[in-house]
């Protein structure tokens, strides 16, 4: 998820039982131009595998080159975005727009599959317009072009995130292709995951918004462990998330980026209502950590344990093409 799936999010997802995690979407044009911020998305840590890195774009050659960089960075899967509904992306002919241009979509998948040894997966919406069934026409063709799995978020691009994911469409897609289909959309609980799997025949479910600030949802879905976290666990996960994100993005970018996470995390752990607002107003992430430790002193010990389990940042793959500053954050 763009603006969400930073490395700390992916690592946390793995710790709480996610079988596969995915990067934010990465612009193939940004990679082509060696944009420093874009290259930063290709940072892969040892404890993230299996990891998919998602690329978006509409030019087969440029997407193929981006896929080679993704493979060199150490990803396990190259995922292609044919679902993004945001205008900045669709107006360039990328994202969900490609669902209306099956020939080009197939050319992109074929070029990427040809460029790398890794499995290539595709993430789609149902189509651009409400009620569209484009995914059922394009999906099987993408498999022919080389897609090893398809993930379907059965909302239209127009819908953005309104209404509900129509998983009847997921079931239809499953019946049309002989590769695993992953169901994405509105899976927030174990009961919902089980019902989507049972009614669609999908090979897996993907959890998006349900895991924002709530890794415990993943544990509940995977293990049936519905016990909510204690306050110190919430504080500890948030502190680790803050520190890791500062390491990845640098303090200046991270402090703004993190604000939305405070509300997501503090929905659990019985924090007083004004607490979230207090955190949002603090200037530095150090102050945020200090406030969290004051509110939940027992979090310190948990954070220490979690940090001790993190792999050494020096183990990350360094690409020749990347400026060294990428690895220091900022
Ligand atoms: C903030 C946000 C960013 C997203 N970014 C991406 C993205 O970069 N690539 C992608 O394939 N889907 C993206 N999605 C869509 C999700 O992957 C998922 O398909 C959708 O949110 C429905 O699943 P959910 O109900 O579990 O959230 C994003 C969703 C949200 C809310």
């Amino acid at each position: 998820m763009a603006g969400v799936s930073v490395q700390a999010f992916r690592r946390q997802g793995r710790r709480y039982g996610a079988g596969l995690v995915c990067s934010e979407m990465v612009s193939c044009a940004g990679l082509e131009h060696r944009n420093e911020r874009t290259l930063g998305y290709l940072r892969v840590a040892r404890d993230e595998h299996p990891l998919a890195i998602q690329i978006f774009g509409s030019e087969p050659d440029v997407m193929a080159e981006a896929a080679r960089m993704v493979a060199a960075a150490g990803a396990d899967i190259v995922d292609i975005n044919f679902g993004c509904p945001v205008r900045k992306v669709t107006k360039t002919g990328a994202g969900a727009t490609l669902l209306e241009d099956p020939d080009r979509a197939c050319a992109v998948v074929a070029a990427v599959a040809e460029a790398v040894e890794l499995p290539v997966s595709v993430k789609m919406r149902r189509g651009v317009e409400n009620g569209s069934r484009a995914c059922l026409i394009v999906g099987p063709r993408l498999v022919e072009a080389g897609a090893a799995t398809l993930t379907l978020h059965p909302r239209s691009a127009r819908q953005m995130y309104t209404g509900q994911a129509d998983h009847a469409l997921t079931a239809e897609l499953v019946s049309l292709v002989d590769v695993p289909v992953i169901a994405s959309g509105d899976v927030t609980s174990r009961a919902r995951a089980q019902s989507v799997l049972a009614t669609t025949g999908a090979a897996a479910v993907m959890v998006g918004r349900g895991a924002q600030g709530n890794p415990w949802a993943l544990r509940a879905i995977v293990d049936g462990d519905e016990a909510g976290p204690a306050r110190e666990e919430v504080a500890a996960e948030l502190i680790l998330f803050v520190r890791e994100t500062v390491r990845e993005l640098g303090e200046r970018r991270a402090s703004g980026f993190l604000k939305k996470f405070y509300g997501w995390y503090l929905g659990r752990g019985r924090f007083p209502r004004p607490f979230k607002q207090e955190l949002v107003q603090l200037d530095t992430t150090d102050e945020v950590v200090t406030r969290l430790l004051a509110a939940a002193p027992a979090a310190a010990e948990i954070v220490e344990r979690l940090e001790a389990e993190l792999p050494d940042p020096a183990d990350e793959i360094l690409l020749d093409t990347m400026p060294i500053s990428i690895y220091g954050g900022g």
Side-chain angles (χ1 to χ4, degrees):
M1 286 184 285
V4 176
S5 308
V6 287
Q7 194 174 67
F9 186 80
R10 306 189 302 255
R11 281 182 156 160
Q12 184 185 61
R14 292 285 298 134
R15 272 193 290 119
Y16 278 83
L20 169 66
V21 291
C22 189
S23 71
E24 300 178 72
M25 60 180 196
V26 184
S27 157
C28 71
L31 291 179
E32 184 189 19
H33 296 115
R34 305 292 188 264
N35 176 291
E36 198 162 318
R37 197 177 272 202
T38 313
L39 289 168
Y41 292 120
L42 299 190
R43 197 165 25 196
V44 175
R46 191 157 44 87
D47 56 350
E48 295 184 64
H49 298 285
L51 169 75
I53 292 187
Q54 186 185 69
I55 53 176
F56 71 94
S58 59
E59 294 297 331
D61 293 352
V62 183
M63 286 289 273
E65 182 53 27
R68 283 187 207 100
M69 292 175 74
V70 163
D76 303 293
I77 293 173
V78 180
D79 189 58
I80 301 176
N81 181 317
F82 290 162
C84 183
V86 175
R87 201 168 141 64
K88 198 170 100 184
V89 170
T90 55
K91 76 175 184 208
T92 67
T97 308
L98 282 160
L99 297 171
E100 293 196 328
D101 189 351
D103 291 342
R104 182 175 281 269
C106 288
V108 166
V109 170
V112 168
E114 172 77 12
V116 292
E117 300 279 314
L118 299 179
V120 174
S121 57
V122 174
K123 171 94 173 342
M124 307 183 281
R125 284 203 176 221
R126 65 182 294 163
V128 171
E129 300 300 336
N130 290 345
S132 169
R133 293 166 60 82
C135 61
L136 302 180
I137 297 158
V138 184
R141 289 193 55 191
L142 299 178
V143 172
E144 257 174 60
T149 76
L150 300 174
T151 302
L152 180 62
H153 174 207
R155 281 187 174 86
S156 69
R158 291 268 174 274
Q159 268 183 291
M160 302 293 284
Y161 297 95
T162 62
Q164 275 172 1
D166 180 3
H167 283 297
L169 222 58
T170 312
E172 284 192 65
L173 183 64
V174 169
S175 72
L176 292 174
V177 296
D178 57 6
V179 297
V181 171
I182 302 173
S184 166
D186 306 341
V187 176
T188 51
S189 67
R190 183 172 171 87
R192 184 75 190 129
Q194 285 173 333
S195 110
V196 168
L197 288 172
T199 56
T200 62
V205 288
M206 177 180 280
V207 181
R209 290 166 295 172
Q212 291 176 157
N214 187 9
W216 301 279
L218 296 174
R219 193 169 65 189
I221 290 168
V222 175
D223 295 340
D225 178 356
E226 304 276 352
R231 177 186 288 195
E232 57 266 27
E233 282 179 87
V234 176
E237 284 297 343
L238 179 51
I239 290 169
L240 184 70
F241 193 81
V242 167
R243 288 191 178 155
E244 285 275 277
T245 305
V246 169
R247 189 185 74 83
E248 184 175 353
L249 304 180
E251 169 71 19
R252 205 159 56 88
R253 264 174 80 198
S255 61
F257 175 93
L258 285 164
K259 288 191 194 291
K260 58 186 180 283
F261 283 88
Y262 302 149
W264 289 338
Y265 273 93
L266 300 178
R268 268 149 288 275
R270 297 173 186 273
F271 288 89
R273 234 168 208 291
F275 190 64
K276 168 183 129 191
Q277 226 22 58
E278 247 179 76
L279 291 195
V280 171
Q281 281 160 7
L282 296 172
D283 290 331
T284 67
T285 56
D286 274 346
E287 289 170 90
V288 169
V289 169
T290 305
R291 272 305 278 119
L292 284 165
L293 286 173
E301 206 177 304
I302 305 175
V303 176
E304 204 175 307
R305 181 168 48 75
L306 291 170
E307 284 185 329
E309 286 163 9
L310 290 174
D312 187 338
D315 285 351
E316 290 180 8
I317 296 180
L318 287 162
L319 291 184
D320 307 343
T321 46
M322 289 210 201
I324 197 76
S325 61
I326 291 284
Y327 296 97

